[in-house]
């Protein structure tokens, strides 16, 4: 895994439940392509925090910083992967 610019990144968390992901994804108002990525446990730039959590589960830890221009949240996953969300959307995926 590495930094992702336009593609998607796959990760299998310990607490991942395919049945829960399928149920949430079926009800979600996301475009079909995004639903498919979530079901394949992949995320990409532009995803919402909800999509990340459904695809990868809850992070091991998280922190947030509030700036004048909005909020940045950092979701820390196993393997040192960090998902950076700006105002609720994935901006950077780094390891």
């Amino acid at each position: 895994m590495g930094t992702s610019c336009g593609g998607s990144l796959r990760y299998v968390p310990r607490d991942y439940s395919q049945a829960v992901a399928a149920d949430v994804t079926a009800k979600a108002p996301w475009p079909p392509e995004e639903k498919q990525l979530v079901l394949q446990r992949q995320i990409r730039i532009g995803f919402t925090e909800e999509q990340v959590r459904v695809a990868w589960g809850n992070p091991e830890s998280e922190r947030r910083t509030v700036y004048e221009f909005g909020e940045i949240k950092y979701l820390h996953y196993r393997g040192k992967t960090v998902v950076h969300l700006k105002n609720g959307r994935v901006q950077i995926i780094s390891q």
Side-chain angles (χ1 to χ4, degrees):
M1 287 186 273
T3 302
S4 177
C5 292
S8 61
L9 191 65
R10 181 182 163 91
Y11 170 73
V12 182
R14 289 175 286 196
D15 64 346
Y16 183 81
S17 168
Q18 184 70 34
V20 171
D23 184 55
V24 171
T25 303
K27 297 173 186 172
W30 308 328
E33 179 186 340
E34 292 180 3
K35 287 184 179 188
Q36 188 63 33
L37 287 172
V38 168
L39 289 174
Q40 293 171 355
R41 294 177 231 140
Q42 297 181 45
I43 67 168
R44 69 177 182 194
I45 303 300
F47 266 26
T48 65
E49 181 176 348
E50 179 184 24
Q51 289 170 312
V52 172
R53 288 180 183 266
V54 172
W56 284 11
N58 291 321
E60 290 186 353
S61 67
E62 62 184 87
R63 68 181 179 87
R64 73 184 189 112
T65 305
V66 179
Y67 296 97
E68 185 176 317
F69 59 82
E71 175 185 87
I72 296 189
K73 187 180 277 189
Y74 306 90
L75 306 179
H76 299 262
Y77 286 91
R78 184 176 38 133
K80 298 184 180 179
T81 299
V82 180
V83 178
H84 306 247
L85 298 123
K86 181 178 176 187
N87 297 323
R89 294 271 180 183
V90 175
Q91 297 292 308
I92 299 169
I93 304 166
S94 62
Q95 183 178 18

